[in-house]
Amino acid sequence: MHVPDGMINLPVSAAAGVVAAGAVAVSLRGARRELGSGPLAEGHGAERTAPLAGLVAAFVFAVQMLNFPVAAGTSGHLLGGALAAILVGPFTGVLCIAVVLLMQGILFADGGLTALGVNITVMGVVTVIVSYGIFRGLLRILPRKRRSVTVSAFVAALVSVPAAAAAFTLLYAIGGTTHIPVGKVLTAMVGVHVLIGIGEAAITALTVGAVIAVRPDLVHGARGLAAPLKLRVGGELVDAPAPAPVAAAGSRSPRGLLAAGLGTALLLAGVVSFYASASPDGLEKVAADKGIDRKVEEHAADSPLADYGIKDISNTRLSGGLAGMIGVGATVVVGSGIFYVVHRRRTPANAPVTTGRS
């Protein structure tokens, strides 16, 4: 659903850019708390949390290269807002998607530069807000079990995709550069993105479930999942005393998971992406069918990695694979660097400094 330049006029694109910038600014503050909380961060700080958040961004980048067929002549790909929000928190999740979209726009000419604010607003802000709100709401009413996290993730991701399609349609209704009845655009966009949402939901649920099975302490959305132990005292149920802390979750190094996650992302982007569907994605298909792409402009960036290939390498498989791996590497480095800086800028009031001296 990467919106190109020229589909939404400049005033509305600029307004969306202001919204996106505001959301990123708010997320920077919120991400400081998210990156500095939880068992993994205790006593370790950004050295552990920043690479994990960067890995989530890189994984989203890789999976977005895997277009899957959803209908005749139409494909879809992961948006990633729900997945990122559930794994690392909603504020950090917005930043993850913003990093992915920035790397795609600059390095791969995927999504317009003047439309960057539109894309961050639609694919990052809307998907995260909608999905995480649904996710938390479902966890309140479902049994406090790991399976509930997976089920909630599925539903949240499913709804977030047509919600993003509706948000795009709203922006098109306000600032579209072509004059196509908005009702037709809305019906087509939401219809095809409901189908894409099923794929998004499956990928999100499988990924969240896989991480929970190995390291549930690394899943932001699963924190506090276990119900407090109750004791009956004098005929009344009261909370049992908290058990003594065990040197477990926070002290276990996530290096194994980091290595496995990075290896998986490189494999998906470098090898599996070659077998992705070549059909246009939901927005491209609707744009071509309804004519809302008549004034789309060429991408302004002249990148040697444009269209996910390396210039001057004629072998399509090699060119695409290397480009994908470069994208994963660049995203994890840039993302981890940003998250490290964000975490280190936490104020002493928010994060007491421990020197290790007695």
Side-chain angles (χ1 to χ4, degrees):
M1 199 192 290
H2 294 73
V3 180
D5 292 325
M7 188 172 287
I8 305 295
N9 65 30
L10 286 177
V12 174
S13 294
V18 172
V19 172
V24 168
V26 172
S27 296
L28 285 171
R29 295 179 62 86
R32 293 174 194 169
R33 297 190 299 271
E34 291 173 348
L35 293 171
S37 64
L40 187 67
E42 292 176 2
H44 301 283
E47 291 76 8
R48 288 190 176 183
T49 56
L52 281 170
L55 177 60
V56 170
F59 185 79
V60 170
F61 174 92
V63 180
Q64 282 196 2
M65 294 182 65
L66 308 181
N67 281 48
F68 48 86
V70 295
T74 310
S75 69
H77 63 73
L78 183 82
L79 299 187
L83 177 61
I86 294 167
L87 288 179
V88 293
F91 295 108
T92 309
V94 169
L95 298 181
C96 284
I97 304 303
V99 168
V100 171
L101 292 171
L102 182 63
M103 302 302 293
Q104 290 172 333
I106 294 176
L107 294 181
F108 299 94
D110 190 8
L113 295 182
T114 62
L116 181 60
V118 172
N119 285 317
I120 291 176
T121 299
V122 171
M123 296 176 63
V125 179
V126 171
T127 57
V128 167
I129 291 176
V130 171
S131 64
Y132 202 70
I134 293 173
F135 176 78
R136 299 308 306 183
L138 288 174
L139 284 185
R140 290 177 181 271
I141 61 177
L142 293 176
R144 300 174 65 86
K145 298 180 179 179
R146 293 181 181 179
R147 182 179 300 177
S148 298
V149 176
T150 306
V151 171
S152 300
F154 183 95
V155 176
L158 173 63
V159 177
S160 71
V161 178
F168 164 79
T169 306
L170 175 61
L171 293 177
Y172 174 80
I174 300 171
T177 55
T178 54
H179 301 288
I180 307 299
V182 175
K184 292 183 178 180
V185 177
L186 178 63
T187 301
M189 282 293 292
V190 173
V192 71
H193 283 90
V194 166
L195 300 178
I196 295 173
I198 297 174
E200 174 109 9
I203 294 170
T204 301
L206 288 172
T207 304
V208 171
V211 178
I212 286 180
V214 180
R215 290 292 301 271
D217 56 300
L218 300 185
V219 179
H220 183 277
R223 292 178 186 172
L225 185 63
L229 180 64
K230 298 286 187 179
L231 296 177
R232 186 174 296 279
V233 178
E236 296 183 359
L237 289 176
V238 298
D239 290 338
V246 180
S251 61
R252 292 168 58 192
S253 173
R255 289 182 180 177
L257 184 64
L258 281 172
L262 182 59
T264 301
L266 290 170
L267 177 65
L268 293 175
V271 179
V272 180
S273 63
F274 184 78
Y275 302 97
S277 173
S279 299
D281 69 17
L283 175 59
E284 293 171 334
K285 179 65 172 176
V286 171
D289 289 347
K290 303 301 179 182
I292 64 176
D293 61 350
R294 294 171 188 165
K295 296 186 178 181
V296 165
E297 304 169 0
E298 290 291 329
H299 201 280
D302 184 17
S303 171
L305 299 174
D307 298 323
Y308 298 92
I310 298 180
K311 192 175 182 180
D312 299 329
I313 295 183
S314 58
N315 186 302
T316 304
R317 187 188 296 265
L318 179 62
S319 175
L322 288 176
M325 295 176 73
I326 290 172
V328 168
T331 303
V332 76
V333 169
V334 172
S336 297
I338 290 174
F339 295 127
Y340 183 84
V341 172
V342 167
H343 178 78
R344 297 295 294 179
R345 286 174 61 87
R346 296 175 70 223
T347 62
N350 290 335
V353 177
T354 57
T355 63
R357 299 175 182 174
S358 57

